[in-house]
Amino acid sequence: MTTIDWDAAADTFDDEPDHGLRDPGVRRAWAERMRHWLPSAPSDVLDLGCGTGSLALLAAEQGHRVTAVDLSPRMAEAACRKLAGTGAEVLTGPAERPPVGERRFDTVLVRHVLWALPDPEAALAHWTSLLRPGGRLVLVEGVWGGSGLSAARLIAALGPLTRRIEHERLSVVTGLWGRPVHDERYALVARTAPAGHGEDACAEPRGDGADAGAASARCDEKARAGRHRHSEVVDVHLVLRRGDEVLLARRAGTGYGDGLWNGPSGHVEEGEDVRAAMVREAREEIGVELAPEDLRVALVMQHRGPGDPPRTGWFFEADHGRGGEPYNREPHKCSELAWHPLAALPDDMVAYCRAGFEAYRRGDRFLLHWHEDDDPVAHDPGLPDRAVPLPATRVSPAAL
């Protein structure tokens, strides 16, 4: 725990490039990170330990409804001046127990505060309780000259509290600090489970009388539709090429395929198209900032895992060097990254991914991959090949 007098530091706090954001380049760098970390739509953001309000101002300028909290009255006064006219609210109080009552937020944002608190794990537990379902906790922390908190410690603490954690190394991003830095600086974005996860699928209010009857009928209709109308999860998979090699990640701590190699991948989220989902997953899993135009469709595949319902996977090819050097941003779900020859893929792969990469190598572009119920999740070279290539229509220009 630090004993810094933050009131005394208020007058010179903004002199640091990453505090005052007075340099246009540093300000742009933080604004870009904030766009990645915060929801894309206007949302309620709680900035804890806001200092003079520089990050709170960026959030407000990006359309978010901001509540900023700082323990130091002089810091809070400076934040009030900086945020004047934005509609943001500034409160004075401790970051670990902010004075927000029963209010809940879409994002809790905390930069370089947790290291100064006496019980970081207790603070994390309270901050996640302030989030709405599907909310996110954004932490910017580090280790400076022996002080601070390692990313590994915070990831371990957040694991039981959140559904997904993304790790982003910030030391290498010189633009954020206005100078090269050589210590550990990072961001963690931890997300909670969305609304409806594990709840009753019918959320219609029942009410009384005729309203209750109408609501019941609507719920019954939804239930019938849910039984008879087929739907599938849509996945995206990245085939990142470095010459004749592809990048694979070894799964860990997920409950599915742990210990096996798999390509960077994930689910399409509500409101996303498949390219946007692939761009997001590449950024979240391996820190590569791809643009939609960097992606080429490699394969479309309908897959059924053993004992599971079917799903559809879109495999996208991209070239190494686009968007930066890949690194492991999700160490709680991935134990290592490695390049492997496409022509000699490891046997210890998730069968779904292995089938997709093999089909891509053969030049197949549409595939069925249907497991038997007693098949393993892991690729087994001793089992029959479950992949069925589907021919594509060939249209001659002369026929048009």
Side-chain angles (χ1 to χ4, degrees):
M1 179 181 177
T2 181
T3 56
I4 295 172
D5 183 343
W6 295 109
D7 267 346
D11 287 341
T12 59
F13 188 77
D14 278 355
D15 292 345
E16 287 293 320
D18 57 307
H19 290 172
L21 308 186
R22 292 166 174 164
D23 180 271
V26 174
R27 195 172 197 278
R28 281 194 302 271
W30 280 102
E32 182 61 27
R33 295 292 158 177
M34 294 282 281
R35 274 188 284 271
H36 287 322
W37 297 333
L38 302 183
S40 56
S43 64
D44 293 313
V45 175
L46 176 62
D47 182 2
L48 298 177
C50 68
T52 59
S54 295
L55 291 192
L57 179 59
L58 292 180
E61 289 174 342
Q62 292 176 12
H64 300 286
R65 300 174 294 274
V66 177
T67 301
V69 178
D70 202 277
L71 179 64
S72 160
R74 294 195 64 197
M75 289 283 194
E77 289 169 6
C80 282
R81 292 191 296 270
K82 192 173 289 187
L83 292 162
T86 66
E89 179 183 14
V90 180
L91 304 173
T92 303
E96 59 266 48
R97 288 281 169 173
V100 295
E102 299 300 314
R103 296 163 60 188
R104 294 296 178 265
F105 300 85
D106 302 298
T107 301
V108 173
L109 170 67
V110 195
R111 181 177 70 164
H112 297 165
V113 172
L114 197 59
W115 72 279
L117 301 182
D119 191 342
E121 284 76 13
L124 291 175
H126 185 64
W127 293 344
T128 55
S129 76
L130 299 176
L131 291 169
R132 294 181 178 128
R136 60 188 75 182
L137 174 60
V138 179
L139 298 173
V140 179
E141 283 294 338
V143 178
W144 310 272
S147 298
L149 300 167
S150 69
R153 175 177 172 180
L154 299 191
I155 289 169
L158 287 167
L161 301 172
T162 57
R163 189 184 187 197
R164 187 173 78 191
I165 307 168
E166 300 151 20
H167 173 223
E168 183 173 353
R169 293 184 298 184
L170 300 181
S171 301
V172 296
V173 188
T174 305
L176 293 173
W177 316 109
R179 63 187 186 281
V181 296
H182 304 289
D183 43 35
E184 180 187 3
R185 304 190 188 195
Y186 60 87
L188 299 178
V189 181
R191 300 171 190 256
T192 61
H197 186 69
E199 298 176 0
D200 192 329
C202 180
E204 293 277 1
R206 290 293 178 171
D208 298 311
D211 287 342
S216 177
R218 288 193 295 273
C219 283
D220 291 342
E221 184 179 351
K222 287 181 180 179
R224 287 193 298 273
R227 284 197 301 268
H228 301 297
R229 191 174 298 157
H230 178 68
S231 62
E232 290 188 3
V233 170
V234 178
D235 299 324
V236 290
H237 305 254
L238 183 62
V239 184
L240 189 64
R241 294 291 303 265
R242 188 178 72 176
D244 294 331
E245 296 177 314
V246 292
L247 184 70
L248 298 179
R250 193 182 291 279
R251 300 180 65 90
T254 69
Y256 171 81
D258 291 333
L260 301 176
W261 292 104
N262 199 66
S265 58
H267 297 167
V268 176
E269 295 185 354
E270 185 176 355
E272 285 184 322
D273 62 47
V274 290
R275 288 200 308 174
M278 189 74 269
V279 168
R280 175 182 53 76
E281 290 289 349
R283 181 178 67 249
E284 292 176 354
E285 294 193 8
I286 59 173
V288 172
E289 301 281 354
L290 296 172
E293 55 269 23
D294 294 328
L295 301 172
R296 301 177 293 274
V297 177
L299 174 76
V300 179
M301 171 183 182
Q302 191 186 37
H303 163 77
R304 177 187 179 272
D308 290 336
R311 60 181 60 216
T312 297
W314 285 71
F315 288 69
F316 288 96
E317 178 190 63
D319 297 323
H320 172 247
R322 295 278 187 176
E325 189 66 24
Y327 67 95
N328 185 5
R329 281 197 63 194
E330 295 185 326
H332 60 296
K333 296 197 297 186
C334 170
S335 61
E336 61 176 316
L337 298 177
W339 295 95
H340 294 264
L342 181 60
L345 293 169
D347 282 337
D348 56 336
M349 286 183 70
V350 174
Y352 177 15
C353 176
R354 173 71 181 241
F357 276 53
E358 289 284 10
Y360 160 75
R361 184 179 64 85
R362 292 192 304 264
D364 298 328
R365 293 299 176 257
F366 301 95
L367 195 74
L368 289 179
H369 187 252
W370 220 254
H371 275 298
E372 298 292 333
D373 285 347
D374 58 352
D375 283 349
V377 168
H379 168 68
D380 185 344
L383 287 178
D385 188 354
R386 305 299 187 195
V388 179
L390 303 178
T393 300
R394 299 183 185 276
V395 180
S396 169
L400 298 178

